[in-house]
Amino acid sequence: MIQEQMKNVEEKICRACERSGRKRDEVTLIAVSKTKPIEDLKEAYACGARFFGENKVQEITEKYPQMPADVQWHMIGHLQRNKVKYIVDKIALIHSVDSLRLAQTIQTEAEKHQVTVPILLEVNVAEEESKFGVSVAETFSLAQQISSLPNVHIEGLMTIAPYVDEPEENRWIFKKMKQLSIDIRQKNIDNVDMYVLSMGMTGDYEVAIEEGATMVRVGTGIFGSRNYSF
Ligand SMILES: *Cc1c(COP(=O)(O)O)cnc(C)c1O
């Protein structure tokens, strides 16, 4: 099943790239494997998946040693400061930084491990109260503040769009994210890049790609629905 789903997602990514005149290699597919058993991750790996997204520190530390070393782990969920130390040397990218305090903790732990940690700023474009993330208006100043941390490198922006029945309803959000990344890039802040736009999930990744996503995070579309009762 995972193999078929992966093929299906891959085809949809290709078509969305074609429609928007983009190259397939401009878009990275993150297989969101949260709550899924290691067998499922191995099956996805066998089908070519190399980028896995998780939203809990404990799941990353459990799954990390069980998967091949060429897997890239992406932290996509809210990150508590006291847990940064467990993953700072294991993750390829933290998608969910939304405060200077969290970035400072990442700096401290990154320095201890002598690594530089790539991060994205999580933006709450729709300003949903239930969501983490900074507002569009606050994003530039947060980027500026974090830019002074030598072991933290901002590579771009991430957003979690609202759950909607019709993916077109989220198009404005993806457009706004793209514009925000262009605006911040134009300010030329030292140590801040804007080449990653992490947006689009199972329900809306094709629209996100059409609007410039460079990373899409697909869980259900690859692994099937999640069971949170375990
Ligand atoms: C769970 C999750 C996803 C994947 O959601 P699906 O709708 O299953 O594709 C993507 N991004 C984040 C931040 C998530 O927590």
Side-chain angles (χ1 to χ4, degrees), residues 7-229:
K7 232 180 101 190
N8 180 32
V9 171
E10 181 55 39
E11 275 169 22
K12 286 183 171 163
I13 292 175
C14 284
R15 268 183 266 139
C17 285
E18 274 167 31
R19 279 198 299 279
S20 46
R22 304 182 62 200
K23 296 201 197 76
R24 170 63 187 90
D25 66 8
E26 291 173 34
V27 180
T28 302
L29 171 61
I30 313 285
V32 177
S33 48
K34 65 191 187 198
T35 78
K36 295 296 173 182
I38 203 77
E39 296 74 43
D40 287 9
L41 280 74
K42 288 189 170 158
E43 200 175 330
Y45 182 91
C47 302
R50 291 297 178 271
F51 310 97
F52 289 85
E54 292 282 348
N55 68 344
K56 290 213 167 74
V57 166
Q58 198 186 333
E59 268 190 85
I60 296 180
T61 55
E62 277 172 20
K63 289 170 174 174
Y64 181 88
Q66 302 185 65
M67 291 293 286
D70 65 343
V71 163
Q72 276 196 19
W73 297 93
H74 289 248
M75 177 59 189
I76 60 173
H78 181 64
L79 180 55
Q80 285 170 294
R81 286 186 299 132
N82 60 352
K83 292 189 175 161
V84 169
K85 57 176 175 282
Y86 302 117
I87 56 162
V88 76
D89 58 341
K90 296 182 177 62
I91 24 111
L93 184 62
I94 301 175
H95 292 230
S96 45
V97 176
D98 63 357
S99 73
L100 179 60
R101 284 174 79 208
L102 174 57
Q104 283 166 335
T105 304
I106 297 170
Q107 167 61 33
T108 304
E109 296 301 327
E111 207 176 335
K112 277 188 207 161
H113 287 85
Q114 296 189 311
V115 294
T116 297
V117 178
I119 66 160
L120 305 178
L121 302 183
E122 180 173 349
V123 186
N124 183 357
V125 180
E127 311 221 334
E128 288 180 284
E129 279 186 27
S130 59
K131 294 260 170 76
F132 295 104
V134 285
S135 69
V136 168
E138 293 163 334
T139 308
F140 171 66
S141 103
L142 182 60
Q144 228 173 5
Q145 289 173 308
I146 293 176
S147 71
S148 67
L149 305 174
N151 296 61
V152 177
H153 182 223
I154 298 177
E155 296 198 337
L157 306 175
M158 176 271 222
T159 197
I160 304 174
Y163 183 81
V164 289
D165 291 324
E166 176 49 56
E168 285 296 334
E169 290 174 48
N170 280 338
R171 189 179 290 277
W172 71 273
I173 290 179
F174 303 137
K175 268 193 206 299
K176 198 152 180 175
M177 285 286 288
K178 174 74 187 185
Q179 190 56 50
L180 180 61
S181 79
I182 291 170
D183 292 346
I184 294 176
R185 185 186 294 141
Q186 277 175 350
K187 307 262 169 116
N188 273 317
I189 314 171
D190 268 356
N191 192 32
V192 174
D193 282 300
M194 279 290 138
Y195 44 75
V196 178
L197 259 186
S198 169
M199 55 189 198
M201 312 186 0
T202 296
D204 55 20
Y205 65 91
E206 294 165 86
V207 175
I209 290 170
E210 288 169 10
E211 297 302 334
T214 70
M215 279 184 189
V216 292
R217 310 178 306 265
V218 180
T220 316
I222 293 174
F223 296 104
S225 57
R226 286 177 291 272
N227 185 343
Y228 285 103
S229 63

